[in-house]
Amino acid sequence: MKKYVCAICGYVYDPAKGDPDGGIAKGTAFEDLPADWVCPVCGASKDEFAPE
């Protein structure tokens, strides 16, 4: 699964790690994140992310 990078702050969403603080389980692909998921660092929306 691809990692995705936030264009605003550089946070990398790694599907292997998920976003435990945001309630996202390990193994969750970026495409499967809820539409309202935001960057846990800066709050940017999913459309601010690009494949690494």
Side-chain angles (χ1 to χ4, degrees), residues 4-50:
Y4 282 74
V5 181
C6 177
I8 305 300
C9 72
Y11 168 81
V12 176
Y13 175 76
D14 182 350
K17 296 179 183 175
D19 176 16
D21 293 338
I24 305 300
K26 293 178 183 178
T28 303
F30 185 82
E31 295 82 3
D32 295 332
L33 292 171
D36 62 351
W37 180 85
V38 296
C39 177
V41 174
C42 72
S45 63
K46 279 180 69 175
D47 61 356
E48 295 292 343
F49 280 74

